[in-house]
Amino acid sequence: MASELKHETVLLNEAVDALVTNEAGIYIDGTYGRGGHTRHALARLSPLARFIAFDKDPLALQSAEQLAASDSRFAIIHDSFATLAAHIETLGLTGQVDGVLLDLGVSSPQLDDAGRGFSFMADGPLDMRMNNQSGQTAAQWLNQADVDEIALVLKEFGEERFAKRIARAIVAARDETPLTTTAQLAALIAKANPSKEKGKHPATRSFQAIRIFINRELDDLALVLEQALQVLKPGGRLVVISFHSLEDRMVKQFIQRKEKGDPVPRHLPIRDDMVKRELKSLGKAVKASADEVLRNVRSRSAIMRVAEKVA
């Protein structure tokens, strides 16, 4: 069953070590997945702690509800982390949160379940929605979008060099037969893509780009970064694990911007201690160890950044 598919949590100890600074604190996992980080954190927390998780995926919700039934410190919210601030305000916890963890991208159970349509490794319906109970599927979008729109998504979100060529092939093929399966799309892209990267399927970038677009992943990331800062208390930690250069760039630039403070005209006589700085970066970007990459090849692209809210 899809819900029983194996999931190996990436940077498990590193993320929880960075996140948990107060055993009795309040913590948020914006991407529950199958609860690896959440359970590991709960094992370190006291009975006084609170832990709130978010996830859009109905199967993740099932796993989280089982945990909530057995641990009164934990609660799950079935929603995108882009709504984080509103939910935390409703709970009366704004400015009181000790740590926010975001493990971005798609989880192993989602990738490994052919029925979700995220992967070209096994044939399945061309869906790609993280919440497969609402919204537009990848098939619906690909069968109606024009060449320019498809090419823009492939280029912007997949950094695909042959975006226009692939987009034209998609539109030409769907005019003959509507796109409905992952194997159909993967074969089409492989044929249209002249690049043969060693160890990488030619459809990798395109599938990634379509998934990011369908799920508004970068838009939601921009929203949640600002909201995480809003809900954290001074000294609270923001821990973000990304798997894609665009995501990591957004996180890195957000931390740098909040660390530097608002730009001030050069001629104004403002002392350094008067500049409003909201975050402090903690250490360098963390990557998975060689041992972890051997155990779980998907961890090889993971990058974790940690920042602390400044008082």
Side-chain angles (χ1 to χ4, degrees):
M1 289 176 61
S3 59
E4 294 168 350
L5 290 166
K6 181 176 171 57
H7 175 59
E8 184 140 359
T9 305
V10 173
L11 294 169
L12 178 62
N13 290 312
E14 294 89 341
V16 174
D17 286 347
L19 182 74
V20 175
T21 57
N22 173 15
E23 288 185 358
I26 300 167
Y27 295 92
I28 297 170
D29 185 345
T31 46
Y32 177 82
R34 292 303 180 270
H37 289 120
T38 293
R39 292 172 193 274
H40 200 53
L42 283 167
R44 300 191 187 186
L45 298 175
S46 80
L48 299 174
R50 290 185 70 175
F51 205 108
I52 301 149
F54 289 74
D55 211 295
K56 295 190 283 189
D57 189 334
L59 290 176
L61 187 70
Q62 290 178 18
S63 167
E65 285 175 341
Q66 291 173 4
L67 178 58
S70 63
D71 193 328
S72 61
R73 298 172 298 170
F74 175 73
I76 180 68
I77 295 171
H78 186 206
D79 207 345
S80 165
F81 58 42
T83 64
L84 184 148
H87 286 287
I88 299 306
E89 185 176 354
T90 299
L91 293 170
L93 298 175
T94 302
Q96 299 178 48
V97 175
D98 292 85
V100 176
L101 171 65
L102 305 170
D103 181 5
L104 305 174
V106 64
S107 70
S108 294
Q110 289 171 326
L111 276 172
D112 295 336
D113 181 359
R116 301 300 300 272
F118 287 109
S119 176
F120 44 76
M121 300 303 289
D123 196 17
L126 196 51
D127 192 316
M128 296 198 193
R129 294 171 299 169
M130 288 182 179
N131 180 358
N132 58 359
Q133 295 177 346
S134 69
Q136 180 178 231
T137 67
Q140 288 168 338
W141 177 68
L142 286 168
N143 283 309
Q144 57 82 28
D146 62 30
V147 169
D148 289 341
E149 186 181 355
I150 295 170
L152 182 65
V153 166
L154 301 187
K155 187 177 182 209
E156 292 292 315
F157 300 150
E159 299 174 298
E160 174 55 69
R161 285 184 297 151
F162 303 102
K164 197 75 173 234
R165 184 169 174 162
I166 293 168
R168 286 196 194 103
I170 287 170
V171 171
R174 81 183 188 203
D175 288 345
E176 298 290 327
T177 309
L179 296 171
T180 58
T181 72
T182 55
Q184 189 184 5
L185 178 63
L188 174 62
I189 295 170
K191 188 176 178 182
N193 191 339
S195 174
K196 303 291 183 249
E197 294 179 67
K198 188 176 180 181
K200 181 176 277 192
H201 191 287
T204 301
R205 296 179 191 278
S206 295
F207 265 66
Q208 175 181 272
I210 295 164
R211 186 204 84 217
I212 288 172
F213 171 76
I214 289 295
N215 293 289
R216 292 176 38 89
E217 291 177 43
L218 297 183
D219 290 340
D220 284 1
L221 177 57
L223 289 169
V224 75
L225 289 172
E226 289 288 354
Q227 293 178 38
L229 186 53
Q230 184 182 332
V231 304
L232 284 169
K233 72 181 189 182
R237 298 275 181 90
L238 171 64
V239 181
V240 187
I241 303 170
S242 57
F243 294 82
H244 184 282
S245 59
L246 292 177
E247 292 171 339
D248 181 56
R249 197 177 307 143
M250 283 181 66
V251 175
K252 180 181 178 181
Q253 290 175 350
F254 174 79
I255 293 172
Q256 288 175 337
R257 194 165 64 249
K258 297 299 182 181
E259 193 169 33
K260 188 176 181 182
D262 296 331
V264 177
R266 287 186 179 184
H267 64 276
L268 286 183
I270 292 178
R271 296 193 313 271
D272 186 69
D273 62 357
M274 295 169 68
V275 177
K276 184 187 177 187
R277 294 185 171 90
E278 297 177 87
L279 281 175
K280 176 176 68 175
S281 179
L282 299 181
K284 295 180 179 179
V286 176
K287 296 188 177 184
S289 66
D291 285 346
E292 180 170 1
V293 174
L294 279 175
R295 289 195 316 272
N296 178 14
V297 69
R298 286 177 182 155
S299 69
R300 69 175 181 261
S301 58
I303 298 177
M304 184 179 82
R305 296 188 186 274
V306 184
E308 187 174 281
K309 185 170 180 177
V310 177

